Amino acid sequence: AAQSVSIATGLPYVDLNCLNIADAIIQAVPASVAREHKAVPIEEDNDTLTIVVHDPHNLELIEGLRFILNRNV
């Protein structure tokens, strides 16, 4: 299902079970924020944090995370 959505939208599919995410990356998003927004940080590149979210088309969610974290996501 998720892989089909990935193909249809052109967004990458990420299998969290296959990733080894550094503790520093995980700690970049407070646990309460991650739970509330179903968001998992997976990578950091310069000042941008890549976050996997349930609905990547939810621009309000993405903007909210940018605001809460005070950084590019």
Side-chain angles (χ1 to χ4, degrees):
Q3 290 174 329
S4 298
V5 171
S6 173
I7 292 168
T9 62
L11 295 171
Y13 170 77
V14 177
D15 184 348
L16 294 176
N17 294 314
C18 295
L19 294 179
N20 184 14
I21 305 168
D23 287 341
I25 302 298
I26 294 292
Q27 293 172 3
V29 176
S32 60
V33 172
R35 277 192 301 275
E36 179 181 347
H37 298 288
K38 297 179 180 143
V40 179
I42 61 167
E43 184 178 79
E44 186 173 33
D45 183 24
N46 295 325
D47 66 337
T48 300
L49 186 64
T50 301
I51 300 177
V52 174
V53 293
H54 177 70
D55 181 4
H57 294 291
N58 183 341
L59 298 180
E60 187 176 318
L61 168 61
I62 304 302
E63 288 301 318
L65 288 169
R66 277 190 190 124
F67 179 78
I68 291 167
L69 301 172
N70 194 30
R71 64 185 306 176
N72 293 327
V73 296

